[in-house]
Amino acid sequence: MRIRPLIRPLQFRFGPVAGCIPGTVSRANLSTTIDPALAQSTINQDEIAHFSKLSALWWDERGEFQMLHRMNPVRMKFIREKMMALEDDLDALVTEAEVLQGRAVLDVGCGGGLLSESLARMGAKTLGIDASSSNISIASLHASADPFLDSSSSKQGKRKGSLTYKHTSVEDLLAEYGPASFDVVCSMEVLEHVDNPRGFLHSCAQLVKPSGHLFLSTIARTPLAYLITIFAAEDVMQRVSKGTHTYSKYVNPGELEGFFRTYRSPAPSGAPGRPWIASPRRPARTEAETRGMVYVPWNGEWVLAPRETTWAEGCNYLFWVRRPLE
Amino acid sequence: MLHNIARRARHKVLRRQFATAAEQTERDVVIVGGGPAGLALASALARSKSVHNNLSIALVEAGDLQKVRDWQQEPGTFSNRVSSITNSSKAFLEDIDAWSHIEQSRTRPVEEMQVWDGISDARITFAASELSTSTVNELSRLTENLNLQRGLLRHLSQYPEVQLFDKVKVQSIVCEAREENAWPVVHLSDGRAIRARLLVGADGFNSPVRTYAGIQSYGWAYDTQGIVATLFHAPKSSYQGPNTIAYQRFLPTGPIAFLPLSETASTLVWSTKPHLANALKAADPRILASMINAAFRLPNISLRYLQDRILEDQAMSVEQFTNELAFRERSDTIDVRSAYSSLAPIRDNVGGIPPEDADSVPPLVTSIQPGTVASFPLRFSHAETYTGEGSGARTVLVGDAAHTIHPLAGQGLNLGLADAEALTKCIENALLSGGDVGSYTSLLPYARSRYFENHKMLSACDKLHKLYSATAGPVVWARSVGIEVLNELDAIKAALMMTAGSERAGLPGQVGWELTAKSVETFAKNVNGARELADTVKDLLGVGVRQLLQRR
Ligand SMILES: Cc1cc2nc3c(=O)[nH]c(=O)nc-3n(C[C@H](O)[C@H](O)[C@H](O)COP(=O)(O)OP(=O)(O)OC[C@H]3O[C@@H](n4cnc5c(N)ncnc54)[C@H](O)[C@@H]3O)c2cc1C
């Protein structure tokens, strides 16, 4: 790898990266053995402080979060298309525009509410949660200007969606709402910021109803991702505030897949059900899917890479997995 | 009793209207401007199912739309504002079901174009049959702007949920005082205020929305006025085809175009110097008619002589002018029986078999429809961007608010329609992703799909105008001997063919653009002698267009 000499000297600034030297992909992050510390909070206080400082910038579409704004339509497209493909009730003739209508959707780590607002506009009964109270304030303030989203507005009319924000962690929400509370759980660009990704995934997965969906997006732990998201975006171009990303926290698609090969939700009997991904080799189309997201600079837009374009999954990617019906 | 209830009910309605009058309402899309672009956008949005399910729409127009709805014109007479609707614009209007509301009998297909140079007489002719797509048999459709606008209003009457506020002006636009997510608020002259998720500027060249958005517009006024008029002439003889040929001659003062409206009427667009335009407008209409005939027929030197005569003696009688004209024709040895003589309508009509070259010039104008002579300043302008940001956020521009173009290729209104089509698609796509249609990110695809498309056309027409009005150096020499002119004309042809093609946005006239790019490049190469000119043209047209094409 030609890029390694470039990266090595810079590593020191990002603290210990045990076993995560770029290019030597480690699976340590998401080992699938049962961890007693699962119930423990996954929130990283430094990360919360970092994003709170930025919260006022969430809705500056040309600023710090420009890339995230432009990524949003692609995330929504992925969610929409995946749910459409898996639409059980073929008689209902649901269109893509309606596929989220009336669904209970949780957005974990909603930030300024970029994704939450879109989900609500698509008709989902949306709950956005974030561990930073200033993010929740910004998100609420932003949505209150929009009669479409503001719950106090009488103008919601025929739209079935709703939007609520709550300052809480996914663990506390799980304790409060109980498992299997949502048709869809989303957590976009969050996994790479949490302390205990296994525990985090565990909590998210528990909140999903049987045959419900879990959507994640994050950054792969590859030299390419390091180069783009940290070296280029934070250091060279200074597009993104320093300290936004920590390389060692990046998670590879294979690791997510591995997690859900062993993760089982309890069956109604209480006994562990079947794992979310059961197909021996590649996950079945109806079980899970990874799709790369590629930024096309000359168009200024993100595109969803075609299925099984592995090179495109080397940086930003979307991951979808479905809880079995049992 | 019943009467009483009805009255009370009406009273209540009135009161309610009054109460809301001072209030602020909210709309998802507020379109300022009920010209062709604004009405087409409203029509396209009204027609879209996803827009219907999600968005409230209002349009504000200063003028009286009822007058447009009620517009009637004596058969055989025509409004002086006419546009050539390209096949792609027509396909868009058909898609949204608006085309059928346009009175077809008042429109006229253009099946052939004749374009020639005023100095060398080098000429190209092209016909609809040359189009790559075999399904279309016309190059474009001449349509009165009012016929189009009335059709769009008729279409809109099926969608009462789209609110039209007319006879009210946008008095001011302010950004609401709010820390996060401030929306523009439009204050109308009747005291109402509308808070807009997305504010569309379809408000023409002096766009108040563009000013509010803080978007700069670059460009320049051409030292040129476009004279328009409705022209009457004898029907073509049975030896000729129908009146479906468009003529355009490039004079050093600007192009003059003769566009068919019916067997006995055509419309004029004559771009010329302002002082000349004023003199022509002030002259006796019979003199203007003769000048139009002469402008398509006489050598440029003689034409200049006649123009100077009109400028010198603004009180010249028709008789004096006819004598001058006859004198010029004699000295140019133009046979009075030939198609190149302008004197036929003034003498007794020459019947019988038309001269052999009859189709190479337009029919002789016999009179001008009273009240139709008018002129408009021509300018090139292009907004630096189509979407507002910061304190001007939630704004987008379409039509003349975004760009104005030289009319030599008849594209101004067509570009506005293409904008309306693209913006509608962009809004539909944003809705499908739960996007906020007023957000910069949601509008980005619109700007991306239209900005360079428009810019290519704007600069192509601008450069062509400049080439033809160049008065110095090798260009004029080249033109005078007709060496290079055909190449230039080829570029015009390509530009016209490109938009005439029926291919739609997405893959719009690929072939056409290739052709334009190629011919422009050849041209640029050929005039290499004229250094500066070649450089500008090569840069702006050749290379620019090429690169843009490759990027698609
Ligand atoms: C001589 C000439 C010939 C032309 N020939 C052709 C041709 O052959 N083919 C072609 O395609 N194009 C042609 N064009 C261009 C074409 O006419 C214009 O491009 C077209 O009319 C622009 O439409 P629009 O809707 O963008 O703007 P406009 O027609 O200018 O409409 C803007 C509207 O906004 C309204 N408005 C403005 N300010 C306010 C306010 N404050 N409050 C409320 N309402 C407001 C105005 O009342 C107006 O109705 C020609 C132009 C000229 C000058």
Side-chain angles (χ1 to χ4, degrees):
Chain A
M1 277 261 160
R2 303 275 299 273
I3 48 178
R4 278 178 69 174
L6 252 183
I7 296 165
R8 272 236 186 82
L10 283 162
Q11 267 166 31
F12 303 108
R13 292 215 353 267
F14 300 99
V17 281
C20 302
I21 295 160
T24 61
V25 172
S26 150
R27 306 214 159 226
N29 275 26
L30 291 175
S31 70
T32 50
T33 49
I34 302 294
D35 184 338
L38 264 187
Q40 192 187 294
S41 170
T42 58
I43 293 171
N44 178 314
Q45 287 308 326
D46 293 342
E47 298 265 3
I48 304 302
H50 174 79
F51 280 102
S52 297
K53 266 199 304 227
L54 295 175
S55 64
L57 299 171
W58 271 112
W59 287 98
D60 178 1
E61 292 177 72
R62 302 275 267 157
E64 180 100 22
F65 293 109
Q66 169 172 325
M67 287 293 170
L68 229 45
H69 278 275
R70 298 199 178 172
M71 201 186 264
N72 212 35
V74 183
R75 297 156 157 181
M76 288 301 296
K77 180 179 154 79
F78 182 64
I79 294 173
R80 190 178 76 215
E81 287 182 354
K82 219 51 230 178
M83 293 193 56
M84 198 59 197
L86 273 290
E87 187 55 48
D88 298 315
D89 193 358
L90 285 174
D91 297 334
L93 286 176
V94 174
T95 66
E96 273 192 79
E98 301 160 338
V99 78
L100 276 162
Q101 243 165 47
R103 306 286 191 116
V105 180
L106 174 68
D107 181 13
V108 180
C110 63
L114 269 60
L115 185 79
S116 295
E117 285 198 6
S118 295
L119 291 164
R121 280 199 195 88
M122 295 285 287
K125 295 193 166 61
T126 312
L127 174 64
I129 64 168
D130 203 287
S132 148
S133 64
S134 53
N135 279 353
I136 291 296
S137 312
I138 288 287
S140 309
L141 196 60
H142 190 269
S144 69
D146 190 334
F148 195 97
L149 303 170
D150 182 17
S151 51
S152 65
S153 165
S154 55
K155 302 231 169 64
Q156 281 185 302
K158 47 193 163 190
R159 298 138 187 176
K160 296 175 197 80
S162 65
L163 177 59
T164 316
Y165 287 116
K166 201 174 163 78
H167 172 214
T168 186
S169 69
V170 69
E171 295 80 14
D172 291 345
L173 190 86
L174 178 59
E176 190 183 338
Y177 280 51
S181 295
F182 294 92
D183 298 309
V184 180
V185 173
C186 306
S187 184
M188 300 301 190
E189 313 301 319
V190 174
L191 199 56
E192 68 270 24
H193 300 293
V194 302
D195 265 354
N196 174 359
R198 280 199 58 245
F200 177 80
L201 286 176
H202 204 272
S203 301
C204 290
Q206 273 183 278
L207 283 159
V208 179
K209 288 184 190 173
S211 83
H213 307 260
L214 176 63
F215 289 94
L216 301 166
S217 78
T218 188
I219 307 176
R221 199 170 58 263
T222 61
L224 176 70
Y226 176 84
L227 204 66
I228 294 174
T229 61
I230 299 178
F231 182 69
E234 294 184 22
D235 296 329
V236 180
M237 297 193 284
Q238 297 175 354
R239 276 196 108 114
V240 174
S241 291
K242 278 203 178 164
T244 296
H245 293 117
T246 310
Y247 182 74
S248 60
K249 288 184 166 184
Y250 288 3
V251 179
N252 287 327
E255 295 167 329
L256 279 179
E257 215 182 283
F259 179 90
F260 287 102
R261 284 190 183 282
T262 55
Y263 181 81
R264 296 160 191 267
S265 310
S269 61
R274 65 180 191 87
W276 284 26
I277 301 177
S279 308
R281 255 170 265 114
R282 174 169 293 162
R285 281 275 183 88
T286 50
E287 287 179 332
E289 187 172 298
T290 303
R291 296 280 288 276
M293 271 189 289
V294 183
Y295 186 70
V296 186
W298 51 89
N299 274 350
E301 71 180 352
W302 290 86
V303 294
L304 198 58
R307 280 189 196 85
E308 270 129 49
T309 319
T310 332
W311 64 265
E313 292 156 19
C315 191
N316 294 82
Y317 66 93
L318 287 153
F319 178 82
W320 161 82
V321 64
R322 192 182 198 197
R323 175 172 170 177
L325 183 58
E326 247 83 47
Chain B
M1 174 65 184
L2 265 178
H3 194 75
N4 230 342
I5 293 175
R7 223 177 41 208
R8 269 216 306 272
R10 200 164 63 222
H11 199 72
K12 237 165 125 182
V13 170
L14 279 177
R15 264 223 320 268
R16 195 162 333 116
Q17 270 177 357
F18 192 69
T20 49
E23 269 173 29
Q24 179 175 299
T25 55
E26 256 153 4
R27 291 292 174 275
D28 291 311
V29 183
V30 176
I31 302 166
V32 181
L39 289 176
L41 177 65
S43 289
L45 289 174
R47 180 64 178 35
S48 158
K49 193 160 170 267
S50 61
V51 171
H52 170 87
N53 288 341
N54 289 285
L55 304 176
S56 54
I57 299 161
L59 182 145
V60 183
E61 164 59 42
D64 185 352
L65 291 176
Q66 196 55 42
K67 279 197 186 140
V68 181
R69 270 187 213 102
D70 296 341
W71 172 71
Q72 290 279 348
Q73 186 114 28
E74 288 274 305
T77 67
F78 292 88
S79 152
N80 60 3
R81 291 305 307 271
V82 177
S83 298
S84 102
I85 304 289
T86 60
N87 287 324
S88 23
S89 294
K90 186 165 157 253
F92 159 58
L93 294 169
E94 279 165 350
D95 270 4
I96 62 166
D97 284 342
W99 182 253
S100 58
H101 295 280
I102 289 164
E103 196 178 330
Q104 300 299 313
S105 60
R106 299 193 64 87
T107 69
R108 190 81 177 168
V110 176
E111 291 169 340
E112 189 184 320
M113 289 201 78
Q114 303 242 3
V115 180
W116 69 102
D117 182 55
I119 295 180
S120 67
D121 273 342
R123 176 187 295 256
I124 49 168
T125 300
F126 50 108
S129 49
E130 288 176 53
L131 286 180
S132 51
T133 39
S134 52
T135 45
V136 270
N137 45 20
E138 57 191 62
L139 290 165
S140 67
R141 187 71 74 92
L142 287 165
T143 310
E144 293 155 286
N145 287 6
L146 280 166
N147 190 8
L148 170 65
Q149 283 170 265
R150 186 184 61 181
L152 290 168
L153 282 169
R154 285 178 179 168
H155 178 246
L156 276 169
S157 68
Q158 300 167 22
Y159 303 94
E161 64 276 18
V162 175
Q163 281 174 300
L164 305 177
F165 301 112
D166 63 344
K167 293 185 279 180
V168 278
K169 260 190 105 124
V170 169
Q171 215 137 48
S172 65
I173 309 170
V174 291
C175 184
E176 65 184 341
R178 186 187 255 279
E179 219 180 295
E180 218 11 83
N181 205 4
W183 289 19
V185 179
V186 179
H187 292 272
L188 306 182
S189 50
D190 62 359
R192 266 182 298 199
I194 316 175
R195 184 171 177 257
R197 176 188 298 279
L198 172 61
L199 180 62
V200 184
D203 41 2
F205 174 69
N206 288 312
S207 168
V209 172
R210 194 183 62 222
T211 308
Y212 164 77
I215 297 174
Q216 298 295 314
S217 180
Y218 293 106
W220 43 82
Y222 295 114
D223 184 25
T224 304
Q225 291 268 326
I227 309 172
V228 295
T230 303
L231 313 173
F232 292 134
H233 46 78
K236 292 201 169 181
S237 79
S238 50
Y239 297 93
Q240 296 169 283
N243 183 32
T244 52
I245 304 176
Y247 296 90
Q248 181 151 306
R249 185 185 187 196
F250 279 81
L251 297 166
T253 41
I256 179 168
F258 190 102
L259 309 157
L261 290 173
S262 75
E263 275 310 310
T264 54
S266 295
T267 191
L268 169 81
V269 184
W270 187 353
S271 311
T272 190
K273 299 286 165 219
H275 64 292
L276 198 55
N278 289 335
L280 288 167
K281 279 195 298 178
D284 186 299
R286 285 168 293 179
I287 294 182
L288 175 58
S290 294
M291 271 306 281
I292 294 165
N293 290 331
F296 284 102
R297 290 166 172 81
L298 283 189
N300 187 52
I301 290 194
S302 296
L303 193 57
R304 242 189 16 226
Y305 171 84
L306 289 177
Q307 285 171 351
D308 288 344
R309 286 293 297 119
I310 289 177
L311 285 170
E312 279 160 23
D313 181 9
Q314 307 230 350
M316 191 170 22
S317 71
V318 178
E319 201 179 4
Q320 275 175 300
F321 181 79
T322 311
N323 287 337
E324 293 280 4
L325 183 58
F327 168 72
R328 291 313 309 187
E329 286 195 0
R330 270 197 308 279
S331 57
D332 289 329
T333 61
I334 293 173
D335 180 354
V336 282
R337 299 196 67 89
S338 97
Y340 282 86
S341 169
S342 305
L343 293 167
I346 294 162
R347 294 188 326 267
D348 286 337
N349 217 337
V350 196
I353 298 173
E356 154 182 38
D357 46 3
D359 263 346
S360 47
V361 283
L364 281 171
V365 177
T366 50
S367 66
I368 294 174
Q369 184 182 317
T372 61
V373 182
S375 73
F376 303 88
L378 303 184
R379 47 168 79 87
F380 171 96
S381 68
H382 202 187
E384 60 176 355
T385 165
Y386 291 173
T387 44
E389 284 178 64
S391 56
R394 298 184 171 276
T395 50
V396 66
L397 305 176
V398 297
D400 276 22
H403 41 70
T404 55
I405 187 173
H406 194 288
L408 65 85
Q411 289 302 317
L413 188 138
N414 290 295
L415 296 183
L417 294 179
D419 292 348
E421 181 178 23
L423 183 56
T424 305
K425 281 211 185 99
C426 171
I427 288 175
E428 283 177 331
N429 278 334
L431 287 175
L432 202 53
S433 297
D436 175 348
V437 299
S439 71
Y440 185 86
T441 311
S442 290
L443 296 168
L444 207 59
Y446 162 68
R448 202 187 294 133
S449 71
R450 290 307 304 159
Y451 199 88
F452 288 108
E453 280 300 315
N454 287 338
H455 207 79
K456 279 186 283 186
M457 185 53 93
L458 290 165
S459 18
C461 291
D462 180 54
K463 293 307 155 216
L464 290 171
H465 165 79
K466 293 202 167 140
L467 282 173
Y468 278 97
S469 46
T471 47
V475 186
V476 169
W477 172 80
R479 286 183 64 198
S480 69
V481 292
I483 295 175
E484 304 304 342
V485 178
L486 274 176
N487 285 313
E488 302 173 41
L489 292 175
D490 249 7
I492 298 172
K493 172 174 175 171
L496 291 168
M497 295 285 265
M498 165 184 65
T499 48
S502 72
E503 295 102 314
R504 307 297 307 286
L507 283 169
Q510 283 284 35
V511 191
W513 269 122
E514 291 295 352
L515 196 60
T516 313
K518 244 200 343 245
S519 50
V520 162
E521 249 171 44
T522 353
F523 165 66
K525 256 187 262 140
N526 286 335
V527 279
N528 237 345
R531 257 284 196 38
E532 326 99 87
L533 191 77
D535 284 350
T536 11
V537 173
K538 235 196 311 211
D539 289 356
L540 280 155
L541 281 168
V543 184
V545 171
R546 265 283 138 150
Q547 279 173 353
L548 287 167
L549 281 169
Q550 280 156 3
R551 282 240 314 250
R552 280 150 138 277

